[in-house]
Amino acid sequence: MRTTIFVATLAMAMLASASPELQAANTTAAQIKRAANGFLNAFSAEQEKRGFAVAYKTGRLDSRLALATCNRPLAVSFSSDVWKTTQPTLQVACSGDRPWRMFLNTTVTIDGDGLVAARPLARGEKVTSGLIKAERVTVNATRRGVITDPDQLVGMEMRRGVNTGTLMTPDLLSAPAAVARGDHVMITARSGNFSVNSRGKALADASVGDQVLVENLSSSRTVKARVTAPGQVEIPM
């Protein structure tokens, strides 16, 4: 029989080690809490190696809770993205002869070096290493995701203006245009290993990977192409 118990909560994945208590007549609230805390402690230790500091607290469980005996180690995992919320849910599950699962509320904060604007940045401004700086932040405090690697920022353009100290998140950035309206581009028509090149003119701005209309300067036809690199577009044959 599969019993599913939902207790409003938060969390992530891994097996907890077996202990004599897990083989008791029932799986108790105390045993579930120990499994959850063991999982979170292991997560904290792993992130510490990467330069992050993790603090956590598990939610309350009714001490009278008693679930079917689990003849396998309890499996604990985050059921939501711990890097985008400070209140992830933990799933605690038994996959033994009498399987069950439940969810446990948690509070988890992950502190680390996030990147912020070193000065006010204008819309359309290209980000350089001198325009950003590292600052200690709670990296999972925003669902937008915090950028911690400078290589993900340098060369990108600002979608909108921001003030000094604004935390840099992916939604603030866009890839710079690889072709601009009016640019002359090389059009490659490709089929397998066979390709034909011709000259064209871009009719709009576009970044690598975007679709853009280009005018073939030989035929005067307008075609839709995919930008593959600065000044280069490709169409299927």
Side-chain angles (χ1 to χ4, degrees):
M1 180 181 70
R2 185 180 185 85
T3 305
T4 304
I5 300 178
F6 294 90
V7 180
T9 59
L10 324 158
M12 158 146 187
M14 150 182 181
L15 290 177
S17 59
S19 70
E21 293 142 318
L22 297 183
Q23 310 302 323
N26 290 299
T27 303
T28 66
Q31 291 161 4
I32 291 168
K33 291 273 280 191
R34 277 195 288 275
N37 284 327
F39 168 76
L40 290 171
N41 187 59
F43 174 77
S44 176
E46 184 62 29
Q47 299 315 312
E48 186 176 357
K49 298 175 185 176
R50 301 174 55 205
F52 297 102
V54 178
Y56 62 85
K57 182 179 181 180
T58 55
R60 297 184 61 182
L61 283 175
D62 189 332
S63 60
R64 296 169 296 179
L65 179 68
L67 299 173
T69 301
C70 189
N71 56 7
R72 293 187 181 181
L74 294 181
V76 185
S77 64
F78 287 117
S79 65
S80 54
D81 190 348
V82 70
W83 292 96
K84 292 186 177 181
T85 178
T86 57
Q87 295 185 321
T89 304
L90 281 179
Q91 176 179 279
V92 182
C94 171
S95 59
D97 296 337
R98 302 173 65 189
W100 51 261
R101 63 174 177 153
M102 63 168 296
F103 295 94
L104 177 65
N105 289 327
T106 64
T107 299
V108 180
T109 57
I110 307 172
D111 291 339
D113 288 338
L115 296 171
V116 303
R119 65 160 174 80
L121 301 177
R123 178 181 178 182
E125 188 167 1
K126 184 168 289 188
V127 179
T128 65
S129 58
L131 298 181
I132 53 177
K133 63 180 181 179
E135 199 170 273
R136 202 70 175 172
V137 298
T138 299
V139 299
N140 63 332
T142 172
R143 291 186 179 275
R144 295 176 294 168
V146 173
I147 298 175
T148 60
D149 183 357
D151 290 341
Q152 295 180 11
L153 282 176
V154 174
M156 301 291 280
E157 293 180 354
M158 299 300 301
R159 288 184 183 273
R160 61 178 177 84
V162 299
N163 295 322
T164 302
T166 298
L167 192 61
M168 303 301 286
T169 55
D171 62 302
L172 295 176
L173 306 162
S174 61
V179 298
R181 180 184 178 89
D183 281 357
H184 281 211
V185 298
M186 180 63 70
I187 304 172
T188 299
R190 188 180 303 279
S191 177
N193 295 325
F194 178 75
S195 64
V196 176
N197 294 327
S198 58
R199 304 294 299 180
K201 183 174 70 173
L203 302 181
D205 296 350
S207 302
V208 172
D210 290 346
Q211 298 283 329
V212 64
L213 291 176
V214 296
E215 179 187 353
N216 186 309
L217 296 179
S218 299
S219 65
S220 297
R221 291 179 56 198
T222 298
V223 296
K224 182 180 290 186
R226 181 176 61 86
V227 181
T228 58
Q232 298 184 37
V233 303
E234 185 175 297
I235 59 175
M237 291 183 66

